[in-house]
């Protein structure tokens, strides 16, 4: 039986925020897209997030059957993600108060996203007597093992918090088999409690389309070779790797300089907020400021033209639990060059829909870019396969698999209750 109503916790970022800057990224897209599908399949969703403005009402409708509840927990402004462990109690109190206003059994399941929400989900599970499903999105131990140069490691309290949530959740959702292995090997998760569910892509929105129209929208020359980076600008996402490789490519092939454009779409995030102009400064230092164009974050609909305008989308991240941008670009028929890390080897089919690069060395990245930029036939072959690869993923499939995971979580929860009753 499908749950009637799910409580979804997204403490540190709201699905109503614009992704691509600050704390809003793939997780926001994931939650909004799956919540809409859950509601369409008959499970209402209430998403609890921390209120960050006095302007927003306590309850907003995201889509039919999907509510966003803005919970008061700490000041609206001035707290960053690292401060939020101090607000877990306030947030939990707010969520419990909402539930207490309803008949018992209002929520059948709790689904928490990111470890901060997992902590609150753990309490809700105990209080409401319903199963907890948790999606980590990123894991501190994995992130710390793949840090960008100069990036600060995730704190120990996050590692501890994640370990607790992994131990308490009835079901853990991993984006890929790689993430499932990390949960099992690095966090001692019970393999039976891990469901591998690939994220999706909106195949109605992200479709191949008219490149000339897309280029006109972005004021790009029709004959340019366009490389694009799309996402939150921070060291972990490694947009600097693309800029360094572009500079090397141009040093080797100065003849293409007039035709090459690098688009960087997104806003500062994470430790990137400490030096929001670092990338512009790097472009100037590398002598490629004339080639690089910075574009503020765009809505998903407007991003379509970025993907369609680009010849190649680069995803050079040091760590990526999946990489929705890679799928969106391919769905628009654009091949991707990506670092062979995290979930990107699943998101990109190496040599078929794009290229995977081992490591982040400038020379390796310049080689990969050169092979695609200088060989239009190779690029066209990858482009032809890109949309077909992306079509293997969809939010409908993700949501159906989530419903299966909810059912498994329910069985695990009741089995545990039974053991507790027998041993009491
Ligand atoms: N995104 C967006 N506008 C932008 C840049 C990014 O809407 O200007 C969205 C993009 O469409 C994608 C998400 O942000 O769905 C980024 O997800 P991804 O998994 O690539 O990275 P994450 O943010 O999770 O690290």
């Amino acid at each position: 039986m499908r749950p009637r109503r799910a409580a979804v916790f997204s403490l540190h970022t709201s699905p109503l925020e614009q992704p691509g800057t600050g704390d809003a990224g793939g997780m926001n897209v994931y939650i909004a897209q799956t919540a809409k599908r859950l509601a369409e399949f008959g499970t209402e969703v209430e998403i609890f997030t921390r209120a960050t403005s006095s302007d927003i009402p306590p309850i907003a409708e995201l889509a039919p059957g999907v509510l966003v509840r803005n919970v008061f927990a700490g000041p609206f402004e001035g707290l960053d993600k690292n401060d939020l462990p101090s607000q877990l109690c306030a947030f939990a109190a707010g969520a419990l108060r909402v539930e207490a206003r309803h008949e018992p059994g209002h929520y059948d399941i709790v689904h928490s996203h990111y470890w901060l929400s997992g902590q609150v989900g753990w309490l809700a599970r105990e209080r409401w007597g319903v199963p907890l499903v948790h999606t980590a999105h990123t894991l501190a131990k994995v992130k710390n093992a793949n840090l960008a140069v100069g990036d600060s490691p995730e704190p120990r309290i996050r590692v501890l918090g994640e370990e607790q949530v992994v131990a308490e959740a009835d079901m853990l959702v991993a984006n890929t088999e790689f993430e499932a292995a990390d949960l099992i090997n690095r966090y001692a998760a019970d393999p039976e409690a891990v469901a591998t569910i690939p994220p999706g892509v909106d195949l109605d929105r992200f479709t191949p389309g008219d490149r000339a129209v897309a280029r006109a929208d972005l004021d790009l020359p029709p004959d340019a070779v366009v490389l694009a980076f799309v996402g939150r600008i921070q060291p972990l996402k490694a947009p600097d790797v693309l800029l360094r490789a572009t500079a090397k490519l141009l040093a080797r092939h100065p003849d293409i300089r007039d035709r090459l454009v690098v688009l960087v779409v997104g806003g500062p995030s994470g430790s990137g907020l400490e030096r929001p102009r670092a990338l512009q400064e790097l472009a100037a230092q590398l002598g490629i400021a004339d080639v690089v164009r910075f574009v503020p974050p765009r809505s998903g609909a407007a991003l379509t033209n970025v993907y369609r305008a680009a010849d190649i989308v680069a995803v050079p991240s040091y760590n990526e639990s999946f990489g929705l941008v890679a799928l969106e670009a391919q769905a628009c028929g654009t091949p991707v060059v990506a670092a062979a890390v995290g979930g990107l080897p699943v998101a990109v089919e190496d040599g078929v829909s794009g290229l995977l690069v081992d490591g982040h060395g400038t020379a390796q990245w310049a080689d990969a870019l050169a092979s695609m930029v200088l060989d239009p036939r190779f690029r066209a072959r990858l482009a032809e396969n890109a949309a077909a690869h992306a079509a293997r993923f969809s939010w409908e499939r993700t949501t159906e698999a989530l419903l299966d995971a909810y059912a498994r979580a329910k069985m695990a929860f009741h089995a545990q209750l039974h053991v507790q009753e027998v041993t009491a």
Side-chain angles (χ1 to χ4, degrees), residues 82 140 143-145 147-148 150-156 158-159:
N82 295 329
K143 199 171 165 189
N144 288 348
L147 277 186
D151 215 357
S152 34
E154 290 298 302
R156 188 169 148 67
R158 175 173 169 190
V159 173

Side-chain angles (χ1 to χ4, degrees), residues 258-414:
D258 291 347
R259 290 193 296 128
L260 197 73
V261 178
V262 178
L263 280 185
V264 177
V265 185
S269 167
S271 58
L273 285 161
E274 290 158 26
R275 284 186 54 215
R277 291 197 53 80
L279 214 53
Q280 278 93 336
E281 288 162 16
L282 179 67
Q285 272 165 27
L286 293 168
I288 57 167
D290 56 323
V291 172
V292 186
R293 295 200 196 167
F294 291 89
V295 179
R298 296 189 136 208
S299 73
L303 264 188
T304 311
N305 276 345
V306 172
Y307 297 131
R308 288 176 182 166
D311 292 286
I312 302 165
V313 167
V315 186
S317 314
Y318 285 93
N319 180 40
E320 198 69 70
S321 76
F322 192 77
L324 294 183
V325 160
L327 271 193
E328 294 164 1
Q330 292 169 94
C332 291
T334 304
V336 173
V337 53
V341 298
L344 287 169
V346 178
V348 178
E349 202 172 352
D350 192 22
V352 177
S353 66
L355 286 182
L356 292 172
V357 181
D358 279 322
H360 296 84
T362 304
Q364 291 150 292
W365 273 82
D367 289 346
L369 289 181
S371 71
M372 293 166 90
V373 168
L374 304 175
D375 186 348
R377 284 190 14 221
F378 177 51
R379 210 163 67 220
R381 211 169 59 237
L382 296 175
E384 264 168 37
N385 299 327
H389 177 67
R392 289 160 53 185
F393 301 83
S394 77
W395 289 119
E396 285 73 19
R397 247 164 276 162
T398 305
T399 308
E400 275 162 13
L402 278 182
L403 284 165
D404 285 345
Y406 291 176
R408 282 172 65 190
K410 192 172 167 187
M411 282 191 294
F413 179 81
H414 287 293

